[in-house]
Amino acid sequence: MTLRVLIVDDEPLLRAGLRSLLDNQPDLSVVGEAGDGGEVVGLVRRVNPDVVLMDVRMPGMDGIEATRRVLAEIPEPPKVLVITTFDNDDYVYDALLAGASGFLLKRARKEEFAHAIRTIAAGETLLFPDAIRRMVTARPAPSGLAPRPSSLTKRETEVLRLIATGMSNVDIAADLVISLETVKTHVGNIFGKLGAANRSQAVVFAYETGVVAPGHSLR
């Protein structure tokens, strides 16, 4: 199966480099490019990508608003992977709140780009707990999610804290000595109670509401 990728960045040279990099992967295909976030919704409708590589800082419509529109206006939206120059970028934090499935630094190796695209296309979330923690510490962002941490059960809170360390469902199941299906049920309940679209939003919410403290120990 070939994954279809849309590249959104205002720098033509970067787009060309990413296209060359990704088109050399046997299972990845670049199906379109855009230099402004305002073009994204229309392009997504035309080329039907599986993943959008979204720059967050663009002179027209930025990647945050473009991410919101894609997820709100496309019935079966692609996954969004935001790309940025700095891992403490406030824009990244807002993009995660908007529903992006993860982020990657532009200086990442080609293998990391390919892995990131495959990871989020498979329904996983690309989390970097240390970087998210630094963002929260530097600038707590206004939450777009309803602050209802008290609605979580003790076990759900425990699972959320493990998600915030970057652990997968399989890892959480092993850590808590429970079945994978039970973990999936807890994760689904967490998303529903917090109004989170994915793990990224849930983790940002956890930090914002104090369910996970900025000094939380990462495993």
Side-chain angles (χ1 to χ4, degrees):
M1 175 181 168
T2 299
L3 296 175
R4 301 164 61 83
V5 182
L6 173 63
I7 301 171
V8 184
D9 195 286
D10 63 316
E11 298 180 24
L13 285 177
L14 183 69
R15 294 201 307 270
L18 286 173
R19 176 182 280 275
S20 175
L21 183 159
L22 298 177
D23 278 341
N24 282 325
Q25 299 295 313
D27 59 336
L28 304 178
S29 175
V30 176
V31 295
E33 297 179 18
D36 184 274
E39 305 171 48
V40 176
V41 171
L43 261 176
V44 167
R45 288 196 174 108
R46 290 198 297 274
V47 303
N48 192 31
D50 299 297
V51 175
V52 178
L53 283 182
M54 182 83 77
D55 186 17
V56 288
R57 294 177 180 260
M58 291 179 281
M61 181 187 293
D62 63 35
I64 301 164
E65 182 60 26
T67 296
R68 288 193 189 104
R69 293 193 182 189
V70 166
L71 298 180
E73 298 179 23
I74 304 299
E76 295 183 11
K79 306 293 184 182
V80 176
L81 176 67
V82 297
I83 52 177
T84 181
T85 305
F86 306 105
D87 65 357
N88 62 347
D89 195 335
D90 285 350
Y91 279 61
V92 171
Y93 194 75
D94 289 335
L96 295 176
L97 272 177
S101 293
F103 70 96
L104 196 63
L105 296 179
K106 291 183 180 181
R107 64 174 181 267
R109 300 188 306 273
K110 64 180 181 180
E111 295 84 2
E112 292 176 299
F113 272 99
H115 172 72
I117 290 168
R118 294 178 187 121
T119 296
I120 68 169
E124 297 294 330
T125 297
L126 199 68
L127 284 175
F128 296 92
D130 280 319
I132 293 177
R133 183 173 60 177
R134 285 196 298 273
M135 290 180 214
V136 176
T137 303
R139 183 278 246 169
S143 177
L145 303 173
R148 294 174 290 166
S150 61
S151 66
L152 297 178
T153 66
K154 182 178 179 180
R155 178 63 94 182
E156 288 164 356
T157 300
E158 190 174 14
V159 169
L160 179 55
R161 286 174 176 151
L162 293 177
I163 290 173
T165 70
M167 292 176 70
S168 68
N169 287 351
V170 172
D171 292 333
I172 293 171
D175 188 87
L176 298 180
V177 196
I178 57 178
S179 73
L180 180 58
E181 288 306 313
T182 299
V183 174
K184 290 179 179 178
T185 298
H186 286 315
V187 172
N189 290 340
I190 290 166
F191 289 179
K193 289 180 178 181
L194 304 185
N198 54 36
R199 293 168 96 90
S200 296
Q201 278 192 342
V203 169
V204 171
F205 176 89
Y207 277 115
E208 286 189 338
T209 58
V211 173
V212 177
H216 182 61
S217 176
L218 302 178
R219 300 188 179 199

